[in-house]
Amino acid sequence: MLPEAFLERMKAQLGPEYGQFLASLERPRAVALRYNPLKGERPNLPFTGAPVPWEPEGVYYDPEARPGLHVYHEAGVYYLQEASAMAPVALLDPRPGEKVCDLCAAPGGKTTQIAGRMLGRGFLLCNEINPKRAKILSRNIERMAVPNALVTNEHPETLALRFPGFFDRVLVDAPCSGEGMFRKEEAAITDWSEETVAMCARRQAEILSSAAKLVRPGGRLVYSTCTFAPAEDEGAVAAFLEAHPEFTPEPVEAPWFVPGENGSFRMWPHKLLGEGHFAAVLRKTEGETEEITEERGEKLPKQWDSFAKELGITLPAGKAVFFGQSLFWAPEELPGLQKLKVLRPGLELGTVKKDRFEPAHALALWLKECANVQDYGPDSDEIKAYLHGEVVPSKVKGWCLVCADAYSIGWGKGDGNVLKNHYPKGLRR
């Protein structure tokens, strides 16, 4: 049962379309996934169907299928993402080589969508203020083979003070009352109240104020929610523009969505195959930038050099950063990390031991080519055993990249007869 106060407001908000809106909430949900261009060519998936119109990598899939259990999901070949939730990044339109910030990034759907469009080039900061959700974000960054992301667990204002005018594009997918998810999540209904809407609007204003400082002059800011509440949507944007005259609505082509005031768009469930969403596109017309100190790169250790030479691994442009006990390969634009709560400063290469190099799972997922490869069929007994953590047959000797139909999924170490399993214990089925 939907809250009565919500229904009354929606009736006034939609007028003659109110009946169509209610009817759409009774229909089965359309489910979608998004392919990951960082993993190479798309596989042929029998359970996928029509494309998502606003996202070139998005497709709808059969709701009876369970793609989250497929080995391709473990390999980061695709991300399960609600179709309307793909719209804000389509409007953000990030490009390779840019500096991009996803300010409220967990669990990582929009961040990995941004990363796919950046194709590993440029610098992506993805932040989540909640520590537990930040860990989930970091794991998804790893699974989706993102090499150029700094994952932080900070308050937005901390980042605003640290990186003023630094980013070409900033996404604020703000925490909201979640009205657009009523059909998808029952908890969204039980947690809803008019007080929650007002509380979310206040929090969104604070986040937007921080985001404004992060955008460089000429840069783009996209604000989005998954709610229908005007106080959190058009009202939030209007208040922001009044408080920040350096921003202006930016016209963009988006024929799939319903345009509104101040560069905003609505995704209505009775007008497209997806849930409810809102987004606004804004341009920063003036302001100042400050010089940002970059993180100093380290020299790659000889243990890595030997390992990389043996397996034929070539790294893209970047710099080495030691973080804890691990060696990371970070984007060249990586800023200084002092006094920041960092979970991941780039692509984790592995751990340097006294006389050897122990490769990280993240490196395996990122690699497309390797001198030592053991490729199993995606439905084979061998790949099922590998995901369970068992030894698997192989004639390969030494470190080898384990693949499922050419998609890298983890490491193994062979003795000529079997592979010792190095698939992370926490991921094993």
Side-chain angles (χ1 to χ4, degrees):
M1 294 292 292
L2 296 175
E4 190 62 35
F6 166 76
L7 292 175
E8 286 297 320
R9 194 194 73 221
M10 293 307 299
K11 189 174 183 179
Q13 201 169 335
L14 283 167
E17 294 184 15
Y18 177 65
Q20 300 171 44
F21 169 76
L22 287 184
S24 73
L25 300 185
E26 299 296 324
R27 294 197 296 267
R29 288 196 306 116
V31 287
L33 61 81
R34 179 177 41 75
Y35 289 109
N36 182 8
L38 298 176
K39 294 294 286 192
E41 294 183 7
R42 296 183 182 186
N44 182 21
L45 299 177
F47 49 79
T48 57
V52 174
W54 46 90
E55 171 50 57
E57 300 294 342
V59 292
Y60 295 97
Y61 67 85
D62 181 355
E64 297 298 319
R66 303 181 71 186
L69 300 179
H70 199 285
V71 65
Y72 289 160
H73 183 268
E74 302 298 325
V77 176
Y78 53 75
Y79 192 103
L80 304 181
Q81 187 178 18
E82 198 279 311
S84 292
M86 301 178 193
V89 172
L91 295 170
L92 186 69
D93 193 24
R95 312 286 178 87
E98 292 183 327
K99 299 183 183 74
V100 184
C101 174
D102 186 356
L103 198 53
C104 312
K110 295 179 178 67
T111 278
T112 55
Q113 186 182 2
I114 291 170
R117 291 188 173 224
M118 295 178 74
L119 297 174
R121 302 197 297 273
F123 171 65
L124 171 59
L125 188 154
C126 37
N127 179 69
E128 173 55 47
I129 193 171
N130 182 294
K132 290 183 179 179
R133 285 170 56 81
K135 290 179 181 178
I136 296 171
L137 168 66
S138 184
R139 288 198 294 269
N140 278 323
I141 287 290
E142 176 177 278
R143 181 174 68 85
M144 298 297 284
V146 178
N148 58 328
L150 168 64
V151 183
T152 58
N153 169 218
E154 286 289 359
H155 191 285
E157 186 60 19
T158 300
L159 297 177
L161 295 174
R162 187 68 174 272
F163 305 119
F166 185 70
F167 293 97
D168 300 296
R169 300 175 197 260
V170 174
L171 174 65
V172 176
D173 185 48
C176 67
S177 56
E179 295 171 358
M181 296 294 108
F182 279 178
R183 177 169 56 172
K184 182 181 176 185
E185 299 173 7
E186 187 175 341
I189 300 175
T190 56
D191 293 344
W192 185 91
S193 70
E194 293 179 284
E195 290 74 21
T196 300
V197 171
M199 178 199 70
C200 288
R202 290 192 295 271
R203 181 168 53 186
Q204 290 151 0
E206 294 175 2
I207 297 172
L208 274 171
S209 180
S210 298
K213 301 170 187 174
L214 292 165
V215 186
R216 67 164 176 83
R220 178 178 289 190
L221 170 64
V222 170
Y223 170 73
S224 67
T225 73
C226 58
T227 194
F228 303 117
E232 301 178 64
D233 294 343
E234 293 90 351
V237 174
F240 172 80
L241 290 173
E242 185 175 359
H244 295 272
E246 72 275 19
F247 280 85
T248 185
E250 181 173 8
V252 295
E253 289 291 324
W256 314 281
F257 315 133
V258 178
E261 57 192 35
N262 290 328
S264 67
F265 297 91
R266 280 195 177 273
M267 291 112 252
W268 292 107
H270 62 289
K271 290 183 177 290
L272 47 73
L273 287 176
E275 306 304 314
H277 233 83
F278 170 88
V281 185
L282 309 173
R283 175 71 67 180
K284 191 172 188 178
T285 56
E286 57 185 47
E288 297 181 359
T289 60
E290 294 186 20
E291 194 70 27
I292 304 297
T293 303
E294 292 188 354
E295 185 74 8
R296 182 176 64 88
E298 306 281 349
K299 188 180 186 318
L300 282 166
K302 62 182 181 180
Q303 294 92 330
W304 162 262
D305 290 338
S306 298
F307 174 81
K309 184 177 180 181
E310 180 182 346
L311 293 182
I313 298 173
T314 302
L315 295 172
K319 55 190 174 187
V321 175
F322 279 96
F323 187 70
Q325 300 297 312
S326 295
L327 174 66
F328 284 78
W329 191 247
E332 293 177 313
E333 304 90 341
L334 183 75
L337 304 178
Q338 296 81 9
K339 296 183 180 179
L340 283 179
K341 297 174 186 174
V342 174
L343 280 74
R344 181 179 296 271
L347 173 65
E348 186 179 6
L349 300 180
T351 307
V352 179
K353 305 294 185 179
K354 184 177 181 181
D355 57 351
R356 69 186 193 281
F357 187 80
E358 193 87 15
H361 183 58
L363 176 63
L365 291 169
W366 174 76
L367 282 171
K368 295 190 186 74
E369 297 180 358
C370 183
N372 265 5
V373 173
Q374 179 62 67
D375 195 5
Y376 300 110
D379 299 314
S380 65
D381 291 338
E382 290 86 354
I383 204 67
K384 291 174 183 175
Y386 178 78
L387 293 176
H388 276 96
E390 302 170 16
V391 296
V392 286
S394 173
K395 295 182 180 180
V396 174
K397 289 186 177 181
W399 284 106
C400 113
L401 188 65
V402 179
C403 296
D405 195 22
Y407 294 111
S408 59
I409 195 169
W411 291 110
K413 197 170 187 181
D415 62 6
N417 294 303
V418 295
L419 287 182
K420 181 180 178 182
N421 198 307
H422 283 264
Y423 193 65
K425 291 182 180 179
L427 299 178
R428 293 175 183 177
R429 295 181 177 178

